[in-house]
């Protein structure tokens, strides 16, 4: 109990869920998680809308889809940020990064150029590539124009790819609790994101449908319904 009181609120929430979850026995079990998306999947950095907006969908074992919303007269918005004497043309790209290591994950794509003759950004769908299972990522949309770059994103979204977990605290081992999802705590190395993803892989967190859906959304499960 003392250990739980000293842990972050998110961890306490997950612990509470485990204590009352109704699921099958833990022994000889693997959990296939669909992945996470949104702020709950962020590691060390949050989401940004400045000035673009968008969303992550179709999170899988080694893929995710980034939907970038249309933006009317993005040129004027970027010119205002650049200030007098700034660039007059803005190449727009997206890049994905491993959130744990900060390294680029092969995903770099140029999909638009904004200038005075073409000031609007059309809605588009981009697919980061070179992703690994059970790994947190963030994808940034940025312009390569002088004074901007990936470190000054126009949009940043977090997600964690899905994958299969095999809990180790089986029957007869320390920490085993029958008929609960306590095996998610045996992941090593263990992070809050791993526990969330493991829980999202369960068919149920609560017996009540509405409560189950609400908690899956709170945890950031990729398929929250």
């Amino acid at each position: 109990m003392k250990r739980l009181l000293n842990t972050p609120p998110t961890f306490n929430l997950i612990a509470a869920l485990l204590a009352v979850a109704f699921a099958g026995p833990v022994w000889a079990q693997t959990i296939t998680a669909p992945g996470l998306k949104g702020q709950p999947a962020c590691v060390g950095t949050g989401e940004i809308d400045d000035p673009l907006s968008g969303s992550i969908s179709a999170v899988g074992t080694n893929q995710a889809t980034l939907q970038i919303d249309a933006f009317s007269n993005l040129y004027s918005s970027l010119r205002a940020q650049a200030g007098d004497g700034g660039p007059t043309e803005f190449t727009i790209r997206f890049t994905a990064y491993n959130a744990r290591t900060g390294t680029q994950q092969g995903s770099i794509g140029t999909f638009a150029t904004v200038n005075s003759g073409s000031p609007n950004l059309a809605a588009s769908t981009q697919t980061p590539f070179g992703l690994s299972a059970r790994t947190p990522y963030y994808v940034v949309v940025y312009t390569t124009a002088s004074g901007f770059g990936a470190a000054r994103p126009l949009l940043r979204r977090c997600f964690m790819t899905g994958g299969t977990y095999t809990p180790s605290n089986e029957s007869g081992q320390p920490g085993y609790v029958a008929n609960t999802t306590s095996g998610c705590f045996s992941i090593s190395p263990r992070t809050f994101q791993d526990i969330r993803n493991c829980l999202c892989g369960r068919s149920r967190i609560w017996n009540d449908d509405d409560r189950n859906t609400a908690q899956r959304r709170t945890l950031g499960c990729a398929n929250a319904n």
Side-chain angles (χ1 to χ4, degrees):
M1 178 61 72
K2 182 177 180 181
R3 182 174 63 85
L4 286 176
L5 291 176
N6 291 331
T7 54
T10 299
F11 196 89
N12 289 339
L13 168 63
I14 294 172
L17 290 176
L18 292 180
V20 296
F22 295 89
V26 179
W27 59 81
Q29 177 179 247
T30 59
I31 298 172
T32 300
L36 307 173
K37 62 181 180 179
Q39 190 64 39
C42 292
V43 179
T45 188
E47 298 197 325
I48 289 176
D49 301 78
D50 185 24
L52 300 182
S53 61
S55 59
I56 292 290
S57 63
V59 180
T61 301
N62 56 11
Q63 63 185 18
T65 298
L66 171 67
Q67 173 66 44
I68 303 168
D69 299 333
F71 194 100
S72 180
N73 206 352
L74 178 60
Y75 174 73
S76 292
S77 179
L78 295 179
R79 284 287 295 141
Q81 290 190 34
D84 293 340
T88 58
E89 185 168 273
F90 303 88
T91 299
I92 310 297
R93 289 183 173 177
F94 76 94
T95 304
Y97 293 87
N98 182 313
R100 286 180 180 150
T101 64
T103 57
Q104 183 181 313
Q105 287 302 123
S107 295
I108 182 168
T110 299
F111 62 93
T113 298
V114 173
N115 52 42
S116 59
S118 182
N120 301 325
L121 182 71
S124 66
T125 299
Q126 309 297 330
T127 305
F129 56 88
L131 308 181
S132 300
R134 298 180 302 180
T135 305
Y137 294 96
Y138 61 90
V139 59
V140 296
V141 177
Y142 61 99
T143 174
T144 59
S146 176
F148 291 88
R152 186 179 171 183
L154 311 177
L155 173 69
R156 181 164 63 210
R157 287 290 179 266
C158 303
F159 64 94
M160 180 180 184
T161 48
T164 300
Y165 296 88
T166 303
S168 62
N169 56 340
E170 299 174 357
S171 179
Q173 296 182 1
Y176 170 76
V177 180
N179 299 315
T180 75
T181 57
S182 60
C184 293
F185 283 98
S186 65
I187 298 167
S188 181
R190 184 174 68 204
T191 69
F192 293 148
Q193 285 73 22
D194 288 321
I195 295 172
R196 288 188 183 106
N197 209 354
C198 179
L199 283 171
C200 288
R202 304 307 300 245
S203 60
R204 307 291 299 182
I205 297 175
W206 299 95
N207 267 356
D208 179 84
D209 288 344
D210 291 340
R211 196 174 191 183
N212 184 64
T213 297
Q215 289 296 343
R216 292 179 73 80
R217 288 175 178 168
T218 298
L219 290 171
C221 304
N223 58 345
N225 296 321

